[in-house]
Amino acid sequence: MAARSPIPNEPLHVAVVGGGVIGLCAAYYALRAGKRVTLLERGPEGDGHCCTENAGMVVPSHFVPLAAPGMVSLGLRWMLNPRSPFAIRLRPSRDLLRWGLLFWRHANRRHVEASRELLRDLNLRSRALFAELEGEGGYGLVQRGLVMLCAGQKALDAEAHLAGDAAALGLDVEVCDAARLAAIDPDIDMAAAGGVWFKQDCHMDPGRFLDRLRGEVLRMGGEISHGVEVRGFVREGRTIRAATLAGAGGAELRADQFVLAGGAWTPELARGLGLRLPMQAGKGYSMTVPEPVQRPRLCSILTEARVAVTPVAGGGLRLAGTMEIGRNDLRVNERRVEGIIASVPRYLPRFEAGHFAGLRRWAGLRPCSPDGLPYLGPAPSIADNLFLATGHSMMGLSLAPVTGQLIAQLLCGEAPEIGLAQLAPDRFSPRVKP
């Protein structure tokens, strides 16, 4: 896979490592900016990615990072319950310990206040790009908002307080009682004290969006190579010259610029370049009911249970949840899935546990940084032609288009339209030995 010899005025060649939604968006916007792009994906064609069957939500409502006040104590309580929405698979690991300490240091109001405007801006810009892509070809973006559905008054009071913060940030939000919820979405019975309607949120079938992106990348002349694992890089001084590929013969892919967008697998590649990237895989699960007893018009999050509910293409209904911090494996913990199933009738009383019997369980790995913010931007302490786009946690799909656009601006030597200082890939570890 050696690259062609450089030709005067030929577009710079960009190698994007990682074929999930972040890598695809980086490739798409780089192609639109006039680059020549090769995307390398370790999995086979058609293999699932972190967002292939996730909840499919675009969430300007999520302006609070994962590292937030109360998350440490809540997580400790949940760890005692095998069906809870959160777990850490404890193991003797220096990386896990470091990640946990950094998470603890950032789980405070000061960090939230320093991050929320940035997350708002990223999500709103990304939402506009989703709408633009929908207008150019269509993949089923539904722009009706999201409801934070609260079974009890305590949760509703907490969400109403957060809605006040959202309104202060300029988001379109409404606190609803049970009657108002029924008027917003009359197609489904809800057992709730009330909820908060974030009107700018959207939903889609993420699999359809990924198919649309792949098609556009190929149509614009990009190359997508599946089943290709990057093992390392060839460097000359401060420049990366090639990616070394797994397999016989020591094949290399030469390029002018490199984007690491490998999701939960990115830290291993980054470490080989001398960058110690704190990240843990956060496993989530989903199930899709093909013919639900009821199907809502809006997507929702069952607040106390931390379960997402999304109507998807073909009349189905998807349930997704759980944050299981651990290794990069996709084994299904059925007790966590049971917790998702058991929570649904509490909010949607027409559903019963039997409606989920025999459904395929899907698992995906979210790349979680310890401060809940992505790693996005150049890595000047490592190489002059290296860029990272990973660590988006639960907002990978939501932030994918803006991530791709910002990466394209950086690849072209332009100042990004949104400041990225807080997202610097080397913000925790400027340099370690490869």
Side-chain angles (χ1 to χ4, degrees):
M1 296 183 67
R4 297 174 294 172
S5 299
I7 300 172
N9 300 320
E10 183 182 29
L12 291 180
H13 184 196
V14 178
V16 179
V17 182
V21 69
I22 298 295
L24 281 167
C25 279
Y28 172 78
Y29 283 101
L31 286 162
R32 284 184 53 159
K35 302 287 185 176
R36 185 165 67 91
V37 176
T38 299
L39 188 149
L40 304 174
E41 165 54 34
R42 67 195 301 274
E45 188 170 2
D47 191 24
H49 295 284
C50 177
C51 83
T52 305
E53 295 185 39
N54 73 6
M57 294 176 174
V58 180
V59 285
S61 59
H62 285 38
F63 56 88
V64 176
L66 183 62
M71 281 302 300
V72 173
S73 59
L74 183 61
L76 290 173
R77 291 199 303 273
W78 272 340
M79 283 183 64
L80 301 176
N81 180 359
R83 287 187 168 191
S84 75
F86 179 82
I88 297 179
R89 293 175 58 190
L90 295 175
R91 63 189 190 278
S93 166
R94 182 177 298 177
D95 288 340
L96 177 60
L97 176 61
R98 180 170 181 254
W99 184 93
L101 288 172
L102 287 169
F103 185 93
W104 174 73
R105 290 175 186 171
H106 287 87
N108 56 66
R109 175 148 292 280
R110 182 176 60 184
H111 175 59
V112 170
E113 292 176 350
S115 306
R116 59 188 182 184
E117 291 185 6
L118 173 60
L119 288 175
R120 174 204 61 191
D121 293 346
L122 289 169
N123 271 300
L124 287 176
R125 179 59 185 148
S126 212
R127 184 198 188 282
L129 292 171
F130 272 115
E132 179 182 289
L133 289 166
E134 174 70 15
E136 291 175 356
Y139 53 90
L141 181 69
V142 180
Q143 303 178 59
R144 295 176 182 160
L146 172 148
V147 172
M148 296 295 300
L149 197 59
C150 303
Q153 189 63 43
K154 182 178 179 181
L156 181 58
D157 291 342
E159 289 299 319
H161 178 77
L162 189 65
D165 292 341
L169 288 170
L171 298 179
D172 192 358
V173 60
E174 180 183 340
V175 179
C176 306
D177 60 15
R180 178 60 174 155
L181 289 178
I184 292 169
D185 199 342
D187 291 351
I188 189 162
D189 296 337
M190 291 173 275
V196 175
W197 181 20
F198 287 93
K199 301 180 184 181
Q200 291 155 296
D201 285 19
C202 310
H203 70 269
M204 71 189 79
D205 185 321
R208 290 182 63 181
F209 181 66
L210 287 170
D211 289 343
R212 163 79 190 284
L213 279 178
R214 291 190 196 99
E216 287 297 301
V217 167
L218 295 172
R219 183 187 64 80
M220 290 189 291
E223 178 184 351
I224 301 177
S225 296
H226 294 274
V228 177
E229 184 176 354
V230 175
R231 287 290 178 86
F233 298 90
V234 178
R235 303 178 58 160
E236 294 180 8
R238 293 191 50 78
T239 302
I240 299 173
R241 295 299 183 192
T244 58
L245 311 178
E252 296 180 354
L253 174 70
R254 298 185 68 83
D256 302 298
Q257 296 171 306
F258 292 82
V259 179
L260 298 190
W265 285 267
T266 308
E268 183 178 353
L269 288 171
R271 185 183 292 272
L273 286 166
L275 178 62
R276 189 177 175 190
L277 199 67
M279 186 188 296
Q280 292 293 315
K283 189 179 347 183
Y285 304 108
S286 80
M287 297 160 285
T288 303
V289 185
E291 297 179 358
V293 63
Q294 288 184 320
R295 188 171 183 268
R297 299 180 184 181
L298 281 67
C299 61
S300 63
I301 293 178
L302 313 182
T303 302
E304 294 95 334
R306 303 300 202 272
V307 170
V309 180
T310 309
V312 293
L317 187 66
R318 181 164 297 159
L319 305 173
T322 301
M323 175 65 81
E324 189 176 324
I325 302 294
R327 299 181 186 275
N328 289 9
D329 75 77
L330 293 171
R331 290 175 293 180
V332 173
N333 182 335
E334 189 63 27
R335 296 299 300 276
R336 300 289 170 194
V337 176
E338 290 171 0
I340 295 173
I341 293 172
S343 70
V344 176
R346 180 182 175 192
Y347 301 82
L348 309 177
R350 290 287 300 278
F351 285 84
E352 302 173 359
H355 292 145
F356 309 101
L359 295 179
R360 184 175 70 88
R361 279 57 163 138
W362 176 88
L365 301 176
R366 313 176 188 96
C368 298
S369 70
D371 60 0
L373 301 176
Y375 297 111
L376 175 54
S381 64
I382 304 301
D384 294 331
N385 61 338
L386 175 67
F387 304 85
L388 277 81
T390 188
H392 295 72
S393 188
M394 295 177 290
M395 292 183 284
L397 176 66
S398 186
L399 295 179
V402 72
T403 296
Q405 186 178 70
L406 291 167
I407 284 291
Q409 291 168 357
L410 292 167
L411 292 170
C412 293
E414 302 170 1
E417 63 183 71
I418 296 175
L420 301 179
Q422 288 177 257
L423 311 182
D426 57 3
R427 62 186 181 268
F428 296 116
S429 306
R431 186 83 194 210
V432 297
K433 287 186 178 181

